[in-house]
Amino acid sequence: MVHTHSLQKIVILGTGGTIAGRSALRSDNIGYVAAQVGVEALLADIPDLAAHLMGYELVFEQVAQVDSKDMNETVWARLVQRTAHALAQPDVQSVVITHGTDTIEETAFFLQSVLPPGKPVVLTCAMRPASALSPDGPQNLLDALSVAMDAKASGVVVVCAGVVHAAEQVQKIHPYRLDAFSSGEAGPLGWVEEARVRWISSPAARTRPLWDGSALPAPSTWPQVEIVMNHAGSTGVVVRALVQAGVRGLVAAGTGNGTLSQSLTEALQQAMANGVQVVRSTRCPLGQVIPAPEFTIAVAQGLSPVKARVALQLALMGLPPAS
Ligand code: SIN
């Protein structure tokens, strides 16, 4: 069936990751090098792709070629600029981004915070390299395209192993399994089943501040925000070293309800007195920190430590809110 649609293109942006990885042995699913295969070649490998596209045309761009554990501000700045440019084209329906699994949740949350809402931006990935005996990348790409073509899709989502996750909720929870992601207590937005998306919740809900991404400054000037963790035996040593190094913000990944050892609390309060902004999140993978009057440090409002870091970095940039 040929879909009738006025917007005809889907832009595919490649950034690297295991989905573009290669290993010397096809049976080796961990000893590979990520970010080796171009994004166009990844799709060229998929049989019957044209039938899946229902008349949409694909446009490719290799924005970066990195292992996502090395994801950085320079790539993010370029990615948001290229994504925003694509979304602004009247003949573009949506954008699909291929990405490594390790930091895909951070990139998704970053993009959601700075891109105009509306047209879908679908990030996808793989846990096995493209050279594997049984790679998961091709099916994930097809599933991402199904979401990118779906009339109900909007905003930034992550698609992996047939599951559609909201940018705000998604977390990598497994180092090896193909179904490596969870949306925690919120649950997924839906599933992709034989090219059909079964939504169970609206992808449009947004509760966070939305910044004008076109006003992002040069990446070298983005404020440095680091994460410190509370753990048995934690002290203020790391906090004092980071303040000395000039950090502008700190996210404290607290224990339980965002609690912090006495010495970490003292060091963070001293950091705040020196002008460093501090936010408390929790090491716990589920739930969120419940504010209590005895804690003077602000809470991250349900964000995991890595996403709270992104939110604080953006807040410190002084960007204008999106109009
Ligand atoms: C990466 O994040 O780039 C490497 C790991 C992966 O994609 O699974």
Side-chain angles (χ1 to χ4, degrees):
M1 182 187 74
V2 175
H3 207 76
T4 48
H5 43 73
S6 52
L7 307 174
Q8 310 95 18
K9 290 183 183 146
I10 298 174
V11 176
I12 317 277
L13 303 178
T15 70
T18 293
I19 191 168
R22 280 206 179 285
S23 58
L25 287 177
R26 294 193 62 205
S27 56
D28 188 353
N29 288 320
I30 54 169
Y32 59 85
V33 183
Q36 301 298 301
V37 186
V39 67
E40 190 161 3
L42 293 180
L43 277 120
D45 266 1
I46 301 179
D48 307 327
L49 179 64
H52 192 85
L53 291 178
M54 300 192 300
Y56 284 96
E57 181 192 337
L58 300 186
V59 178
F60 299 93
E61 186 176 329
Q62 195 74 46
V63 171
Q65 191 61 293
V66 293
D67 183 316
S68 84
K69 65 176 162 299
D70 298 319
M71 187 50 70
N72 58 53
E73 280 102 352
T74 305
V75 177
W76 273 1
R78 180 156 172 74
L79 186 60
V80 75
Q81 192 260 328
R82 296 312 298 157
T83 309
H85 173 80
L87 295 174
Q89 308 309 307
D91 60 349
V92 169
Q93 152 78 18
S94 48
V95 173
V96 170
I97 299 173
T98 57
H99 197 290
T101 59
D102 285 343
T103 58
I104 195 170
E105 67 208 62
E106 291 161 68
T107 298
F109 180 71
F110 167 71
L111 290 176
Q112 173 178 282
S113 304
V114 293
L115 284 173
K119 291 184 186 177
V121 176
V122 185
L123 287 91
T124 194
C125 53
M127 291 297 285
R128 290 181 181 161
S131 56
L133 284 176
S134 174
D136 52 329
Q139 186 63 54
N140 285 345
L141 267 167
L142 277 183
D143 290 347
L145 284 168
S146 298
V147 176
M149 294 184 288
D150 189 278
K152 290 206 188 107
S154 82
V156 183
V157 298
V158 172
V159 173
C160 184
V163 188
V164 189
H165 300 275
E168 191 170 319
Q169 314 294 345
V170 64
Q171 282 193 52
K172 185 172 180 181
I173 56 155
H174 202 283
Y176 184 72
R177 232 168 47 196
L178 301 190
D179 189 3
F181 291 88
S182 167
S183 288
E185 290 169 329
L189 294 174
W191 296 275
V192 188
E193 295 160 340
E194 294 299 303
R196 285 208 168 82
V197 189
R198 176 157 60 99
W199 298 104
I200 49 162
S201 132
S202 162
R206 270 173 194 268
T207 52
R208 306 277 163 197
L210 191 54
W211 307 106
D212 178 358
S214 69
L216 280 168
S220 58
T221 68
W222 292 13
Q224 193 181 354
V225 178
E226 299 282 343
I227 300 172
V228 292
M229 185 183 276
N230 192 47
H231 52 82
S234 74
T235 68
V237 169
V238 176
V239 171
R240 285 189 286 274
L242 288 169
V243 173
Q244 185 77 23
V247 287
R248 300 262 320 277
L250 287 169
V251 173
T255 30
N257 193 35
T259 52
L260 304 164
S261 73
Q262 209 176 317
S263 40
L264 198 49
T265 305
E266 281 162 14
L268 288 168
Q269 275 165 345
Q270 187 57 51
M272 285 158 68
N274 290 335
V276 176
Q277 281 215 25
V278 182
V279 166
R280 272 184 315 128
S281 179
T282 173
R283 296 179 359 179
C284 296
L286 302 179
Q288 65 179 63
V289 177
I290 303 162
E294 63 270 28
F295 292 118
T296 50
I297 302 175
V299 298
Q301 305 193 328
L303 292 177
S304 65
V306 292
K307 290 181 190 173
R309 196 200 72 80
V310 175
L312 181 52
Q313 190 176 41
L314 286 167
L316 284 167
M317 284 186 212
L319 297 172
S323 48

